[in-house]
Amino acid sequence: MNVLIVHAHNEPQSFSTALYQLAEETLRGQGHEVQVSDLYAMNWNPVASAADFGARANPEYLVYALEQREGAKARTIAADIQAELDKLLWADLVIFNFPIYWFSAPAILKGWFDRVLVSGICYGGKRFYDQGGLAGKKALVSVTLGGRDHMFGDGAIHGPLEDMLRPILRGTLAYTGMSVLPPFVAWHVPYISNEARQDFLRQYQDRLQNLENDQPLEFVRLEQFDERLYPLPR
Amino acid sequence: MNVLIVHAHNEPQSFSTALYQLAEETLRGQGHEVQVSDLYAMNWNPVASAADFGARANPEYLVYALEQREGAKARTIAADIQAELDKLLWADLVIFNFPIYWFSAPAILKGWFDRVLVSGICYGGKRFYDQGGLAGKKALVSVTLGGRDHMFGDGAIHGPLEDMLRPILRGTLAYTGMSVLPPFVAWHVPYISNEARQDFLRQYQDRLQNLENDQPLEFVRLEQFDERLYPLPR
């Protein structure tokens, strides 16, 4: 497999960094090709703006998705976006590795989604969910957070973590057609012992060595909806 | 009331811009004080990093929330963050006005949450949800999107929009103690007629003129949980 790891943590010695490095090493050890986009190290620009387009389909009024579509086609899209898009299209598996900020991704990673998942290639028209442009690829979200396991789930104070991650798991990764594996979650990381961290690393390595057995999460399929995207009777 | 409008659109002529300008004008017309943070115009930096702290509690290892807590206390936090934090603490109502990107906020706004909602002031320890540091303030999310109304809701292709916006409505705004009003949503904006856009502006003005009648969304309260944040029997 070709594997892209997109990593977003502002402390190079963090446990999150240890997770991505373990993934890189484990997957390379299995004979896979691995590329890493370490967004902080790359000084990645997360702001979707007019500056992302070397030529404009409409110079008077910016419709970001339209310019993405045209810019990606003509290859006039910003070089930093094109480089990430090339890695994404090369990959069979994409791992998003980050600490949870506000029950979501840090802005630097949100801006990777905003800028790299270009309209016309990753989605567009009726090409979304199971028909998305990235169908055939797998996505794995690997996160660290401060909260404890029992604070998430039905009836728990924050509800299920998957519900909080819905815009990413369903609205972004599944939307572009990727098969989304269940997230790997390391709980309460800032407060736990070194042994507990080693346990998470062992669990993660075990996940990584058995990814082919992972059942992707289930989401809607376009065949369940009519032409105007109203639900069909079951 | 003191009102802060945080606006995040990369096209100054956008309909999203028209929405925030209408809010500014309408609320001023009612005698309220209004400040605007136009994030693109301000060239806002959304990346939470070590550069945000003029002095470090721990120069060897960055724990962002810890440095926020210490930096905000000592007022050594970056000037751009301090300026936004001052506006936030001044405000009785905060309006977040943005186009939906990936069923969420554009990265430039996500980074406003990441950097401005500082630990120790906006939340921290057991100060979250109804006990959050911003309790007493109201929040209104005002969004534009490309999708149609019927694509959202129970059984619809994307599910309820409030579920997609959960990390923002519940995980960010309600988490910090704000009373979160139902979002204002302008659907299918890139594709509709000028008349339909005028209709949305009228609806929005009507909402703004009657905000005191709005019922905030309901979320969990800390009294429903024990000391370790396990749910109490009902």
Side-chain angles (χ1 to χ4, degrees):
Chain A
M1 280 195 302
N2 293 337
V3 182
L4 172 61
I5 301 176
V6 183
H7 170 65
H9 200 293
N10 50 25
E11 170 50 63
Q13 307 167 85
S14 68
F15 184 69
S16 179
T17 303
L19 285 175
Y20 105 69
Q21 288 173 342
L22 176 70
E24 184 181 8
E25 182 190 304
T26 304
L27 293 164
R28 283 220 172 107
Q30 292 181 299
H32 303 303
E33 296 280 321
V34 182
Q35 294 193 71
V36 175
S37 293
D38 180 342
L39 300 183
Y40 274 92
M42 292 159 65
N43 200 20
W44 173 254
N45 164 28
V47 179
S49 79
D52 291 345
F53 310 106
R56 285 277 290 275
N58 181 354
E60 306 299 323
Y61 186 101
L62 178 64
V63 177
Y64 194 78
L66 167 72
E67 299 295 343
Q68 282 186 313
R69 214 148 53 226
E70 299 300 325
K73 210 186 297 172
R75 294 185 76 92
T76 53
I77 206 161
D80 62 339
I81 299 176
Q82 187 67 54
E84 292 304 298
L85 183 57
D86 289 345
K87 290 184 211 169
L88 172 65
L89 296 177
W90 163 88
D92 303 303
L93 166 67
V94 188
I95 298 179
F96 297 95
N97 190 78
F98 58 97
I100 298 269
Y101 278 18
W102 295 108
F103 298 96
S104 180
I108 200 169
L109 174 56
K110 178 56 170 63
W112 192 95
F113 296 144
D114 291 350
R115 296 177 72 227
V116 178
L117 298 177
V118 303
S119 177
I121 293 179
C122 302
Y123 72 99
K126 289 281 173 68
R127 294 168 58 242
F128 61 109
Y129 289 130
D130 59 311
Q131 303 297 314
L134 304 181
K137 300 182 189 298
K138 288 181 184 181
L140 172 63
V141 163
S142 155
V143 294
T144 54
L145 77 176
R148 289 174 187 271
D149 198 346
H150 75 260
M151 298 176 195
F152 291 86
D154 289 320
I157 191 158
H158 303 309
L161 182 60
E162 280 76 6
D163 285 0
M164 284 290 192
L165 295 179
R166 184 181 174 117
I168 295 175
L169 300 177
R170 174 171 171 167
T172 305
L173 304 177
Y175 186 93
T176 54
M178 303 180 87
S179 290
V180 183
L181 305 179
F184 178 81
V185 184
W187 307 98
H188 209 46
V189 166
Y191 312 103
I192 60 177
S193 66
N194 196 43
E195 289 71 37
R197 291 182 181 201
Q198 295 299 324
D199 266 352
F200 278 128
L201 291 172
R202 272 189 293 270
Q203 286 172 37
Y204 191 40
Q205 189 165 45
D206 191 59
R207 270 291 300 276
L208 292 163
Q209 286 172 336
N210 295 283
L211 282 183
E212 71 281 5
N213 301 324
D214 266 11
Q215 281 302 312
L217 302 176
E218 291 211 18
F219 298 103
V220 289
R221 298 187 309 281
L222 285 204
E223 67 189 16
Q224 298 164 325
F225 298 85
D226 72 13
E227 274 302 294
R228 294 182 307 157
L229 301 174
Y230 281 93
L232 290 167
R234 304 237 168 166
Chain B
M1 280 197 300
N2 293 338
V3 182
L4 171 61
I5 302 176
V6 183
H7 169 66
H9 200 293
N10 52 23
E11 171 51 64
Q13 306 167 85
S14 67
F15 184 68
S16 178
T17 304
L19 285 176
Y20 105 68
Q21 289 173 341
L22 176 71
E24 184 181 8
E25 181 191 304
T26 304
L27 293 165
R28 284 219 172 107
Q30 291 181 298
H32 304 302
E33 295 281 320
V34 182
Q35 293 193 73
V36 175
S37 292
D38 180 342
L39 300 184
Y40 274 92
M42 292 159 65
N43 201 20
W44 172 254
N45 164 28
V47 180
S49 80
D52 291 346
F53 309 109
R56 285 278 289 277
N58 181 354
E60 307 299 322
Y61 186 100
L62 178 63
V63 177
Y64 194 79
L66 167 72
E67 299 296 343
Q68 283 187 312
R69 215 148 52 227
E70 299 299 324
K73 212 187 295 172
R75 295 185 76 91
T76 52
I77 205 161
D80 62 340
I81 298 176
Q82 187 66 54
E84 291 304 297
L85 183 58
D86 289 345
K87 290 184 210 169
L88 173 65
L89 296 177
W90 163 88
D92 304 303
L93 166 68
V94 188
I95 298 178
F96 296 95
N97 190 78
F98 58 96
I100 299 270
Y101 277 17
W102 295 107
F103 298 97
S104 181
I108 200 170
L109 174 57
K110 178 55 170 61
W112 191 96
F113 296 145
D114 291 350
R115 297 178 73 227
V116 178
L117 298 177
V118 302
S119 177
I121 293 179
C122 301
Y123 73 98
K126 288 281 174 66
R127 293 167 59 241
F128 62 107
Y129 289 131
D130 59 311
Q131 303 298 314
L134 304 181
K137 301 182 188 299
K138 289 182 182 180
L140 173 63
V141 162
S142 154
V143 293
T144 53
L145 76 177
R148 290 174 187 270
D149 198 348
H150 75 260
M151 297 177 196
F152 291 86
D154 289 321
I157 190 158
H158 303 309
L161 181 60
E162 280 76 6
D163 287 358
M164 284 289 192
L165 295 179
R166 183 182 176 116
I168 295 175
L169 300 177
R170 173 172 172 168
T172 306
L173 305 177
Y175 186 94
T176 55
M178 304 180 87
S179 291
V180 183
L181 305 179
F184 179 81
V185 184
W187 307 98
H188 209 45
V189 165
Y191 312 103
I192 60 178
S193 67
N194 197 43
E195 289 71 38
R197 291 182 179 201
Q198 294 300 323
D199 266 352
F200 278 128
L201 291 173
R202 273 189 293 270
Q203 286 171 36
Y204 191 40
Q205 188 164 45
D206 190 59
R207 271 291 299 275
L208 293 163
Q209 287 172 336
N210 295 283
L211 281 183
E212 71 279 6
N213 302 325
D214 266 10
Q215 282 302 312
L217 303 175
E218 292 210 18
F219 298 102
V220 289
R221 297 186 309 282
L222 285 203
E223 67 188 16
Q224 298 164 326
F225 298 84
D226 72 13
E227 274 303 293
R228 293 181 308 155
L229 301 174
Y230 281 94
L232 290 167
R234 304 237 169 167

